[in-house]
Amino acid sequence: MSLKFGTSGLRGLSVDLEGPASALYATAFARHLLAAGIARPGDEILIGRDFRASSPAISAIAIAALRKAGLTPRDCGELPTPALALLGLGRKAAGLMVTGSHIPADRNGIKFYRPDGEIDKADEAAITAAADAIRAEGAVPDAARETAEDLHEAAMALYGARNRQLLPQGCLANLRVGVYQHSTVARDLFVSVLAHYGADVVALGRSQTFIPVDTEAVSPETVALLQGWAVQHGLHAIISADGDGDRPLITDETGTPIRGDLVGLIASRFLGAGAIATPVTSNSGIEAAVSGTVLRTRVGSPFVIAAMNEAVAAGEIAVAGFEANGGTLTATPFTVNGHTLAPLPTRDSLMPVLAVLALRAAEERPLSQIAAGFALPAAASDRLENFPVETSAALMAELRSGADALSAFLAPIGVPQKVSDIDGLRVTLEDASVIHFRPSGNAPEMRCYVEAADEAATARLLDAGLRRIRDWALNR
């Protein structure tokens, strides 16, 4: 069985999820909610999904299992994950989002939500234990499929209203913005919200088949597509999101993507956050770019949320967080454009998109210039796909085995001076450049993040890091 919890919920092959496995984990989640007193028999539970071919079947199986387990399912249809989470917070209802986010279409997953927001690592352990107990009892439910009352319009209306009050009316009227629609569930809402603020919107690249778009490691093919559209249509920016609409993708006027951690930084400034939680993979220049507290975490929204909650408990009153992919979270209310923005402690793509476009409109200069003005260290990241999990684990074990092993591995690249082991291995080299090796928590991928003196040096370092991983795997 390919299923496992990673940085964003349960993930695995679609063929494994399109069957009793979905019923098993939906039932395990229901058992956990009921046993922990988080939900009571008969309570609502929301189900949403992305546009993957496997998502409708997995959703229907989960609905049947949740109903059998004693809860009342509500079908929210195809919608952004933050929209499902927002409705759940408002109705005090738990939820499941069937999505594999940015990973290939032959894979899928389930994100789990308590009535107060995303589950944490303790919840993951409890769900896993409940699933093991169900297997031991020989009580794994079958893959029956059912329907439920439709709450799609209510969810989309609530999420749309939240984002239509963030900016002054007409404030994007001088911008021509492309929306790369591909197969993200946020595609139509992006168009309608930008049009609401007066932007001249150009819809681009809508697809009826699922296209995996990783906003943290945009493929060269996608970048070429975006750059072509930027020139063809005379765009000030192009915006998009991943499959479930919780990670933003924003380009400048040339079609070149803006790094997600810079997007998160702009969104945090837009909110006026006094404390910011962000993973160790976000740019090392973040601390110098903000006046408040920066809390570094492991990669994954559960760790960002935990750090935000610690900040709130310590007395911080304006707490936000973002991941290196740009997905932005809020733990406290914020006053924006004269309205109170309620906390939404899950990744959101639309608010940071609006924050960046509002900055572009206010400064009346190209986004490339605005991005350069932040003077963050040059940084880049990429991944090796279809990289076996076992190989990643073996590599990380070797690199952690001692200073000599790490130095030997990095000998073709540079001399290590400082090492952080918060999540993966982040190594500062003697020339002050940074290289960070980290296995993906969601898929069989090995990721590499780098920082260097300039873009050219960054590209060389990234290429050297990925090549060194490949060579090691071939020769082990």
Side-chain angles (χ1 to χ4, degrees):
M1 185 70 71
S2 64
L3 303 179
K4 59 174 288 189
F5 277 100
T7 55
S8 293
L10 187 74
R11 293 281 175 85
L13 294 171
S14 298
V15 293
D16 288 337
L17 275 169
E18 281 188 274
S22 292
L24 170 65
Y25 279 94
T27 303
F29 184 43
R31 278 198 183 187
H32 167 55
L33 293 173
L34 294 168
I38 299 169
R40 297 172 297 178
D43 278 359
E44 281 189 329
I45 186 163
L46 311 178
I47 298 93
R49 58 186 175 273
D50 66 15
F51 284 131
R52 291 166 193 268
S54 59
S55 292
I58 296 168
S59 177
I61 293 167
I63 286 171
L66 292 167
R67 183 175 285 127
K68 186 175 181 180
L71 299 176
T72 304
R74 306 293 189 211
D75 188 358
C76 294
E78 289 135 347
L79 80 172
T81 294
L84 180 79
L86 185 65
L87 184 67
L89 289 167
R91 296 175 75 103
K92 295 181 172 56
L96 281 77
M97 180 70 184
V98 179
T99 179
S101 185
H102 63 280
I103 61 178
D106 66 338
R107 296 176 175 271
N108 211 328
I110 303 175
K111 295 180 179 179
F112 299 87
Y113 285 81
R114 297 159 43 118
D116 58 351
E118 287 189 34
I119 63 168
D120 58 23
K121 292 300 177 181
D123 293 313
E124 286 182 8
I127 295 167
T128 300
D132 291 342
I134 293 168
R135 287 193 194 97
E137 296 165 7
V140 176
D142 60 26
R145 304 180 186 187
E146 296 181 8
T147 60
E149 180 183 340
D150 188 345
L151 288 184
H152 178 262
E153 286 191 15
M156 292 300 287
L158 184 66
Y159 184 59
R162 174 187 179 87
N163 287 286
R164 289 186 177 93
Q165 65 180 20
L166 290 176
L167 307 179
Q169 189 70 34
C171 79
L172 305 182
N174 293 325
L175 298 185
R176 185 171 173 81
V177 182
V179 175
Y180 177 28
Q181 294 194 306
H182 62 94
S183 49
T184 176
V185 287
R187 59 192 183 186
D188 293 325
L189 187 64
F190 276 167
V191 170
S192 66
V193 170
L194 295 187
H196 168 78
Y197 289 117
D200 178 9
V201 183
V202 181
L204 303 163
R206 190 181 186 94
S207 174
Q208 296 306 310
T209 58
F210 188 81
I211 298 174
V213 173
D214 186 347
T215 65
E216 195 173 354
V218 186
S219 70
E221 296 79 11
T222 300
V223 172
L225 196 64
L226 297 168
Q227 291 176 337
W229 282 331
V231 173
Q232 178 185 354
H233 298 284
L235 303 173
H236 295 103
I238 300 174
I239 63 102
S240 189
D242 62 340
D244 67 318
D246 69 347
R247 303 179 182 200
L249 172 60
I250 308 173
T251 82
D252 63 19
E253 71 285 355
T254 72
T256 302
I258 297 171
R259 281 187 54 85
D261 43 18
L262 176 55
V263 172
L265 172 60
I266 292 171
S268 298
R269 285 185 169 186
F270 170 78
L271 293 170
I276 300 167
T278 194
V280 65
T281 50
S282 291
N283 195 287
S284 62
I286 298 295
E287 280 81 355
V290 300
S291 57
T293 303
V294 177
L295 308 170
R296 292 287 181 166
T297 76
R298 293 180 61 188
V299 174
S301 53
F303 300 110
V304 174
I305 292 167
M308 291 196 304
N309 289 340
E310 291 173 7
V312 172
E316 296 283 357
I317 59 173
V319 182
F322 60 85
E323 296 196 76
N325 53 51
T328 304
L329 313 85
T330 53
T332 59
F334 288 90
T335 301
V336 182
N337 191 36
H339 298 277
T340 298
L341 187 70
L344 183 55
T346 196
R347 282 190 303 259
D348 187 18
S349 66
L350 188 44
M351 184 274 286
V353 160
L354 293 174
V356 172
L357 293 180
L359 182 62
R360 166 62 181 83
E363 295 204 1
E364 297 184 339
R365 60 193 180 108
L367 274 174
S368 59
Q369 293 182 15
I370 292 173
F374 280 85
L376 296 179
S381 64
D382 204 347
R383 70 201 190 279
L384 297 178
E385 298 181 277
N386 300 313
F387 198 86
V389 173
E390 298 78 11
T391 306
S392 295
L395 172 59
M396 297 309 296
E398 180 171 323
L399 297 184
R400 290 186 171 111
S401 65
D404 290 344
L406 181 61
S407 294
F409 180 83
L410 288 172
I413 299 174
V415 178
Q417 294 292 305
K418 180 181 177 184
V419 179
S420 169
D421 201 3
I422 293 177
D423 195 345
L425 279 177
R426 187 175 179 88
V427 184
T428 302
L429 303 175
E430 62 180 352
D431 64 355
S433 61
V434 174
I435 188 164
H436 184 168
F437 303 106
R438 176 183 165 271
S440 171
N442 295 322
E445 299 174 351
M446 188 69 191
R447 291 183 177 265
C448 183
Y449 311 80
V450 300
E451 293 183 9
D454 53 43
E455 297 294 341
T458 298
R460 289 193 298 271
L461 182 58
L462 181 59
D463 179 69
L466 293 172
R467 188 170 59 250
R468 187 70 188 92
I469 296 168
R470 287 192 201 96
D471 291 345
W472 180 91
L474 288 172
N475 296 314
R476 64 185 292 250

